[in-house]
Amino acid sequence: MTFPNYNDLKAPPFWEMMEGKSVIMNVPSTYPVREMNGVHISGFVSINFEKSIHPKSLVPQLKDMDYRLDVDSEKAHRSMELFLSDVEVTLDARIETYRYLFDNQNWQTFMLVFTATDRLLHFLWDAYEDKNHKYHTHFLEHFRTIDTAIGEIRNRLNDNDLLIMVSDHGFEGLDYDIYINHLLKEEGFLKFEPPQEMNLKNIHEDTKAFVLDPARIYLHRKGKYPRGTVEDGDAEEILSQLENIFRCLEVDDRKVIKDIYRKKELYSGPYLENAPDMVLVAEKGFNLKGSIKADKLADKAIFTGKHTQDDAFLIVRGLTDNSVVPDIPTVRDVVSIFCNS
Ligand SMILES: [Zn+2]
């Protein structure tokens, strides 16, 4: 197993195909930065500050502005106050940095990503739902600050500019983390040698399947994994058995799995072989985990919020000149799509 980064990207990012200079701030999985026409500050996971900034000459300026590559979420495990002040400082520095680059670079494309919303929603979904929660106001303030920044950006656009906003996933409350590998162990699909050393290196040759985050099931195929023994001819039978187990899975008398997809329903292309054999989608409130070491099926951790597959996508173009980008819906159409869904 390796952790993929920007060097693993198989296609050029869109900004390498754009004309003119780009400013790209905080896009996930774009570390380490490389040569490009403009400014690039990588997003999470970024390890070394200097390797996260292109051009290097910007490093002292960003350090002066106290720019942070990401919120230090570890702080939430020690103190929520510490975490929240880190969230606030990170957001303030990011807004200050966007203003600086917006005004001082001669850009054609500008992209800015806010990520602390994700961290906040994981730790404090309960604060969002409960008006009497100690951090309810604090939670809302964060989103108000971002709204204000978006409004500011909107007001700085010219009539010919195009503004696109997108979220990469949605959120909901988390009731239980569900450890699918534990279920596979219980049902005899996953074994370790020696049995007490539960990690990917010690998977027993009798193993039929295992799970990696997020809820991606891999058959232990012969020729693909060092001790893999599952033949292609047996794959369908194993997947059907797994499907039956997942469809019946209940916790607290609630169904856990909402949808089950096979590889070819979701994936295609030259890297199909790397794709999982099956993907699970959970019912509301259940978070499917790929931890290999889990010793129980269901648990509750520090998080109160979890990702969903919902997203949002909004295109706003200049207020007066509607002839600039002919192939996209008008703002009114986009808003009505939102209302309908
Ligand atoms: Zn997240």
Side-chain angles (χ1 to χ4, degrees):
M1 288 243 290
T2 57
F3 193 91
N5 67 21
Y6 198 25
N7 293 329
D8 298 299
L9 198 66
K10 299 288 193 284
F14 75 86
W15 54 88
E16 283 180 10
M17 298 182 282
M18 306 295 280
E19 277 179 29
K21 235 175 161 183
S22 298
V23 176
I24 305 297
M25 279 182 71
N26 198 42
V27 178
S29 298
T30 60
Y31 173 89
V33 291
R34 58 195 185 209
E35 192 60 41
M36 52 92 76
N37 183 15
V39 174
H40 181 192
I41 306 170
S42 60
F44 88 101
V45 175
S46 295
I47 302 159
N48 173 292
F49 198 79
E50 276 75 15
K51 289 182 183 171
S52 306
I53 317 291
H54 172 85
K56 291 274 171 290
S57 54
L58 266 178
V59 170
Q61 179 70 37
L62 291 182
K63 282 190 172 166
D64 275 356
M65 290 190 286
D66 201 15
Y67 186 86
R68 316 272 176 106
L69 296 166
D70 198 358
V71 171
D72 182 1
S73 296
E74 281 304 307
K75 287 184 176 162
H77 296 268
R78 284 183 274 140
S79 146
M80 205 48 83
E81 304 283 342
L82 266 182
F83 167 69
L84 287 172
S85 95
D86 198 273
V87 164
E88 204 172 309
V89 171
T90 304
L91 179 60
D92 289 348
R94 192 155 306 166
I95 290 172
E96 193 189 338
T97 304
Y98 118 72
R99 284 179 184 143
Y100 173 76
L101 295 172
F102 203 94
D103 292 339
N104 292 291
Q105 297 287 327
N106 184 23
W107 53 267
Q108 292 293 307
T109 305
F110 197 104
M111 182 171 185
L112 165 63
V113 179
F114 294 110
T115 18
T117 45
D118 175 88
R119 315 298 182 250
L120 209 56
L121 281 156
H122 277 301
F123 286 107
L124 289 173
W125 177 273
D126 53 343
Y128 161 59
E129 282 194 324
D130 178 5
K131 284 191 172 55
N132 298 316
H133 193 287
K134 190 178 171 190
Y135 298 119
H136 181 72
T137 309
H138 205 122
F139 179 99
L140 293 182
E141 260 327 299
H142 184 79
F143 282 83
R144 284 197 186 105
T145 307
I146 291 175
D147 273 351
T148 306
I150 293 169
E152 180 183 288
I153 292 167
R154 176 68 191 90
N155 289 333
R156 288 168 159 221
L157 298 182
N158 301 320
D159 286 345
N160 293 349
D161 289 336
L162 178 69
L163 173 67
I164 300 175
M165 293 201 284
V166 62
S167 73
D168 55 351
H169 57 77
F171 254 91
E172 67 184 13
L174 192 167
D175 299 324
Y176 286 106
D177 287 318
I178 303 292
Y179 294 94
I180 301 293
N181 278 323
H182 179 76
L183 178 69
L184 294 182
K185 274 186 275 174
E186 297 280 291
E187 298 286 342
F189 287 84
L190 175 58
K191 293 174 185 171
F192 299 97
E193 181 57 45
Q196 65 279 12
E197 287 188 28
M198 294 186 280
N199 63 59
L200 286 169
K201 278 186 190 155
N202 294 348
I203 282 184
H204 191 285
E205 61 177 22
D206 287 348
T207 290
K208 302 286 183 228
F210 58 91
V211 187
L212 298 179
D213 273 327
R216 295 172 291 151
I217 315 277
Y218 293 83
L219 292 182
H220 194 218
R221 287 179 186 268
K222 191 176 175 179
K224 186 173 179 186
Y225 301 102
R227 292 183 210 155
T229 50
V230 174
E231 304 274 359
D232 288 348
D234 298 328
E236 186 49 42
E237 171 62 22
I238 298 169
L239 289 171
S240 306
Q241 290 170 3
L242 288 172
E243 199 167 328
N244 286 336
I245 291 167
F246 294 138
R247 288 208 187 284
C248 300
L249 184 61
E250 288 192 354
V251 167
D252 264 1
D253 294 326
R254 288 159 60 190
K255 209 167 150 273
V256 174
I257 307 294
K258 184 172 151 208
D259 292 310
I260 300 175
Y261 295 99
R262 297 292 176 90
K263 178 190 287 200
K264 285 191 175 160
E265 289 179 88
L266 303 176
Y267 303 102
S268 61
Y271 301 100
L272 187 63
E273 201 200 324
N274 299 344
D277 293 281
M278 184 181 264
V279 175
L280 308 177
V281 178
E283 290 282 359
K284 193 168 186 291
F286 293 109
N287 194 27
L288 306 180
K289 305 284 279 184
S291 167
I292 204 96
K293 290 183 180 166
D295 56 1
K296 58 181 84 160
L297 175 64
D299 202 3
K300 281 193 167 193
I302 187 172
F303 285 174
T304 61
K306 63 171 278 277
H307 297 178
T308 70
Q309 292 186 312
D310 307 308
D311 58 15
F313 183 51
L314 179 68
I315 298 173
V316 184
R317 62 179 169 182
L319 287 177
T320 54
D321 186 353
N322 285 338
S323 65
V324 181
V325 186
D327 294 329
I328 58 165
T330 64
V331 172
R332 187 174 300 189
D333 289 340
V334 174
V335 170
S336 76
I337 292 166
F338 264 88
C339 296
N340 291 338
S341 59

